[in-house]
Amino acid sequence: MNAPTPFPAAAEAILPDLVALRRAIHREPELGLLNPLTRDKILAALAGLPIEWREGPSTTGLIGILRGGSAGHGSNARTVLLRGDMDALPLTEDTGLDFASATPGVMHACGHDSHVAMLVGAAKLLCAARERLAGTVMFMFQPGEEGHHGARFMLDDGLIDPLPDAAFALHVMPNAPHGLFAGKAGALLASSDVLTITVKGAGGHASMPHDAVDPIPVACAIVQAIQTMVTRRINVFDPAIVTIAEIAAGTTNNIIPESAELTGTIRTLSPARRQMVADEIAKLALHTAAAHHCTADVDIVEGFPVTICDARAAAFAQSVVTEQFGPDSWRTMEHPVMGAEDFAYILEKVPGAMVWLGASHEGDDWRTCCGLHSNHMVMDDSVMARGAALHAALAERFLAEGFGATIS
């Protein structure tokens, strides 16, 4: 392999531009699949560079294509995808930052503003190193990650056709050690499905429950049965978390309602466990309700699948981090995170990996920092230089070598 490009130093040189972009995006956060203000900021930041752009009908997502120099056009040339998500959360910011959200009820509390800035930085670095690139880089700027299936829409729109040979994503973690990269092979994040159970009985007067069929105690029995199922039927080494987060029933204190509704989420770490939990919940809800002369309707809306990192890609990412930043900059995670990510849709089709980047302020006790999705979440902008550099280094080396060579 040729000597790697010194991306960390080059990224530090453009850090002020990345900070300015991240803060501009932070001030004007956008929700869901349509993020036109963010899209326009990306295009302005990368104007004039040799990047071809693709857009689709379903979202304001962008695919930027950078074709390498003469070595990157052969029939065996590889393609690598780098992804940064764009959308914010429906949350009222309470950080006191001078660049805090100016949009009421919307906040970048998951770091997506920094993900965009880091990917823009990587695009600039790789354009500068274009003649060294032995293939093609796809920059995926993706809206709708926060539950809106943006990656799936971009796939369905054909924006990532033909599929790349590998895909990588970074995600900041504000309550993790400053500048530390972390990842693992296999399941990195859980699937996440939305569960609704409607228990129907027969309403009546609260003083005469024997003349009614009260759905409320039946709903409570179903909640308990779900928890028993999770603890007694599921192997702890292939886990599931089922959380009933809301129970709704009744209108006043002296009326037994006709129905009660339970809503919550199901999180698992394997496709097989995901299906098993759905099947078990359907059975236990139906039979628990029937035992008490009620009926139960179970509705499970599938969310993101399990985010599974290819073992070769995870080892490759560790090797590139070690090469660029030293061995102390990487930590192999012992356990997955039970949150969910729609980068999973990409990893179902393409071998790749997601890597966490610790974004607590240098010198702070990272254990006390607010986590993702907190309205108090802040991060240290300086880590974006490391993120941009890693994106660029992953792309350059994969195009040159594939997953083949790693450095221990």
Side-chain angles (χ1 to χ4, degrees):
M1 183 184 74
N2 294 329
T5 301
F7 286 119
E12 289 290 344
I14 62 171
L15 179 59
D17 292 339
L18 307 188
V19 171
L21 176 60
R22 182 244 163 175
R23 295 183 178 189
I25 295 170
H26 193 93
R27 286 190 193 96
E28 295 185 292
E30 298 174 286
L31 298 174
L33 297 170
L34 303 177
N35 305 162
L37 299 176
T38 308
R39 175 201 59 200
D40 292 348
K41 290 179 176 69
I42 293 164
L43 292 173
L46 296 175
L49 295 177
I51 298 174
E52 306 164 22
W53 294 104
R54 296 178 182 172
E55 299 184 59
S58 301
T59 77
T60 54
L62 295 167
I63 294 291
I65 299 174
L66 174 65
R67 304 186 191 280
S70 57
H73 298 294
S75 59
N76 295 322
R78 302 180 182 92
T79 299
V80 61
L81 180 145
L82 306 174
R83 179 272 214 161
D85 36 3
M86 299 163 61
D87 57 322
L89 286 159
L91 194 65
T92 298
E93 181 164 354
D94 191 19
T95 62
L97 296 170
D98 59 7
F99 56 91
S101 171
T103 305
V106 185
M107 176 191 175
H108 271 292
C110 205
H112 295 182
D113 49 353
S114 68
H115 298 174
V116 170
M118 290 189 293
L119 190 54
V120 164
K124 291 182 175 183
L125 297 173
L126 289 168
C127 283
R130 182 184 183 189
E131 291 306 313
R132 293 173 56 93
L133 300 181
T136 298
V137 185
M138 302 176 78
F139 303 102
M140 181 181 183
F141 292 97
Q142 180 223 306
E145 193 283 322
E146 296 293 351
H148 298 276
H149 306 273
R152 190 185 70 198
F153 279 106
M154 292 182 72
L155 284 164
D156 291 347
D157 284 347
L159 298 181
I160 314 172
D161 183 21
L163 292 170
D165 299 294
F168 296 95
L170 293 177
H171 202 303
V172 295
M173 184 69 81
N175 54 340
H178 175 91
L180 180 71
F181 294 101
K184 66 182 294 294
L188 180 74
L189 292 121
S191 63
S192 179
D193 303 324
V194 176
L195 168 67
T196 303
I197 302 174
T198 303
V199 181
K200 185 168 287 190
H205 199 288
S207 68
M208 293 175 279
H210 54 285
D211 290 330
V213 181
D214 191 346
I216 292 178
V218 181
C220 294
I222 290 173
V223 173
Q224 295 286 7
I226 289 172
Q227 300 311 312
T228 300
M229 180 269 292
V230 169
T231 59
R232 306 263 67 83
R233 295 273 295 121
I234 292 177
N235 188 323
V236 296
F237 298 105
D238 185 10
I241 295 175
V242 182
T243 298
I244 300 301
E246 183 180 9
I247 302 177
T251 57
T252 190
N253 61 35
N254 64 349
I255 297 175
I256 292 171
E258 181 182 30
S259 64
E261 186 173 272
L262 313 172
T263 56
T265 59
I266 304 168
R267 297 174 186 270
T268 63
L269 292 174
S270 71
R273 178 64 71 220
R274 187 185 197 186
Q275 186 61 54
M276 176 267 189
V277 170
D279 293 343
E280 290 291 318
I281 287 177
K283 285 190 293 185
L284 70 84
L286 176 67
H287 293 298
T288 302
H292 297 282
H293 306 285
C294 287
T295 62
D297 178 66
V298 178
D299 181 48
I300 297 175
V301 178
E302 288 196 350
F304 302 155
V306 184
T307 301
I308 300 176
C309 296
D310 182 270
R312 297 165 302 161
F316 177 82
Q318 178 180 356
S319 175
V320 175
V321 168
T322 299
E323 175 187 74
Q324 293 284 327
F325 303 103
D328 293 339
S329 292
W330 175 268
R331 180 173 299 167
T332 298
M333 298 165 59
E334 294 183 18
H335 309 292
V337 174
M338 294 305 286
E341 243 289 345
D342 82 343
F343 189 57
Y345 290 119
I346 303 298
L347 295 184
E348 282 186 323
K349 298 179 178 295
V350 178
M354 173 174 276
V355 175
W356 298 100
L357 171 57
S360 60
H361 283 83
E362 193 165 13
D364 284 359
D365 181 358
W366 57 269
R367 298 172 186 83
T368 66
C369 297
C370 292
L372 298 172
H373 290 216
S374 166
N375 62 326
H376 297 282
M377 192 211 102
V378 295
M379 59 168 282
D380 189 335
D381 286 340
S382 69
V383 301
M384 292 193 296
R386 291 170 75 87
L390 180 62
H391 264 315
L394 288 167
E396 182 187 61
R397 188 163 140 198
F398 179 80
L399 294 181
E401 304 177 5
F403 293 128
T406 60
I407 296 174
S408 61

